Amino acid sequence: MNYPDIVSRDRWQSARDELLKAEKELTRAHDALNARRRQLPMTEVTRDYVFKSAARGDLRLVDLFDGRDQLVVYHNMLTADHICPGCSQVCDHMMNNFAHLHARRTSFAMVARAGVPRIEEVKARMGWTFPWVSCEGTTFHEDFVTAQDNASFGFSVFIRQAQRVFQTWFTSGRGAEQASNTFQLLDLTPWGRQEAWEKSPTGWPQDPPYSWQRLHDEYPAAN
């Protein structure tokens, strides 16, 4: 297994400072992209979806806002017989304390097509406490996920005006990575995510994309 070159502190500092220029450019580009996202139009949600939850019974989409103005939804791929490792990594990074999000008038909810008993079973196993509702028996997943180039998971953002709800954004694929600080932290390391698609020096450890992911209680104890 290979490692970065060993250099003097001065040479390291020079290389780090040069990279910092590019990192600041990326930050400014990301800010500009966020500004474009804030300028997106919105489209009204006119279908009356009914979600089910263990704690609160039947809920409409506007109820998921909990009285706040904005709502971020993660569309989870959970089914009756499969727990998606990728979606579960997103779940592991969801805050159990949403006070900071709420301070900006924004709520979060997880949604899956699995039924409420299955959702509660998985939440208990994995130790998750964030809001999670079932859209079983509705077309919510098909209308907001599958309809986007046949996606299977992703994030949607909604905003409301009184009882009227509007969608403002959706992302899937690698667009959903921003919720995972595991990826963000690995990207800071010399070996990165250690996946075959990454452009890395010869000898860096690399595996097929996502092949290393497990549910957090399925990793070897030695890890």
Side-chain angles (χ1 to χ4, degrees), residues 6-68:
I6 300 173
V7 298
S8 68
R9 184 72 182 183
D10 287 344
R11 284 189 60 190
W12 174 87
Q13 187 69 55
S14 178
R16 182 266 176 188
D17 291 347
E18 189 64 27
L19 179 64
L20 182 60
K21 296 176 184 177
E23 289 175 338
K24 289 184 177 295
E25 290 176 3
L26 178 61
T27 297
R28 288 190 288 269
H30 192 257
D31 289 343
L33 182 63
N34 288 340
R36 289 183 60 186
R37 186 181 296 111
R38 291 192 293 273
Q39 295 171 26
L40 283 174
M42 61 187 187
T43 183
E44 188 165 10
V45 180
T46 56
R47 185 166 290 177
D48 191 22
Y49 303 97
V50 177
F51 305 89
K52 298 185 181 299
S53 73
R56 300 170 61 189
D58 290 355
L59 299 167
R60 297 167 57 224
L61 182 57
V62 72
D63 297 325
L64 302 185
F65 286 75
D66 283 332
R68 301 180 184 91

Side-chain angles (χ1 to χ4, degrees), residues 50-92:
V50 177
F51 305 89
K52 298 185 181 299
S53 73
R56 300 170 61 189
D58 290 355
L59 299 167
R60 297 167 57 224
L61 182 57
V62 72
D63 297 325
L64 302 185
F65 286 75
D66 283 332
R68 301 180 184 91
D69 299 309
Q70 301 184 126
L71 173 68
V72 178
V73 166
Y74 183 74
H75 305 274
N76 194 298
M77 293 170 60
L78 178 70
T79 66
D81 56 5
H82 178 65
I83 307 175
C84 171
C87 288
S88 296
Q89 186 182 113
V90 172
C91 291
D92 284 335

